């Protein structure tokens, strides 16, 4: 458990790039706040987690285009799958 704190900090600060990395980085953050609270991990700040989740959602939405589909990069073509 002592290694969990640094791993969660890395997840919070992960510098995502493409849509796949953004999803892989921010989706686990949705559970991090509750996990940090239940394990009493003082090094994980709930407000910071909330900001990073919001930033992740905003980034994912920047990858969505007018046709409703998403692209790996905001300026690339969309994929229906």
């Amino acid at each position: 458990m002592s290694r969990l704190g640094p791993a969660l900090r890395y997840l919070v600060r992960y510098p995502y790039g493409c849509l796949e990395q953004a999803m892989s980085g921010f989706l686990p953050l949705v559970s991090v706040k509750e996990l940090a609270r239940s394990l009493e991990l003082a090094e994980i700040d709930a407000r910071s987690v909330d900001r990073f989740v919001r930033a992740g959602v905003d980034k994912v939405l920047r990858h969505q285009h007018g046709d409703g589909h998403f692209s790996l990069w905001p300026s690339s073509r969309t994929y229906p799958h």
Side-chain angles (χ1 to χ4, degrees):
M1 294 306 266
S2 66
R3 301 181 112 199
L4 188 57
L8 291 175
R9 268 197 310 279
Y10 176 78
L11 182 62
V12 167
R13 295 186 177 114
Y14 183 73
Y16 4 98
C18 72
L19 180 60
E20 180 182 3
Q21 290 169 324
M23 296 293 291
S24 296
F26 105 84
L27 283 177
L29 290 175
V30 174
S31 300
V32 163
K33 187 168 72 171
E34 183 59 35
L35 179 64
R37 185 179 319 135
S38 68
L39 295 177
E40 299 178 0
L41 298 173
E43 62 267 11
I44 304 298
D45 176 39
R47 287 178 299 203
S48 293
V49 173
D50 288 340
R51 280 195 324 270
F52 282 100
V53 168
R54 182 74 244 168
V57 169
D58 291 344
K59 180 165 184 103
V60 168
L61 292 176
R62 284 194 299 273
H63 288 262
Q64 188 173 27
H65 295 263
D67 62 3
H69 298 292
F70 293 85
S71 61
L72 289 176
W73 300 97
S75 61
S76 63
R77 67 184 179 109
T78 63
Y79 296 91
H81 50 280

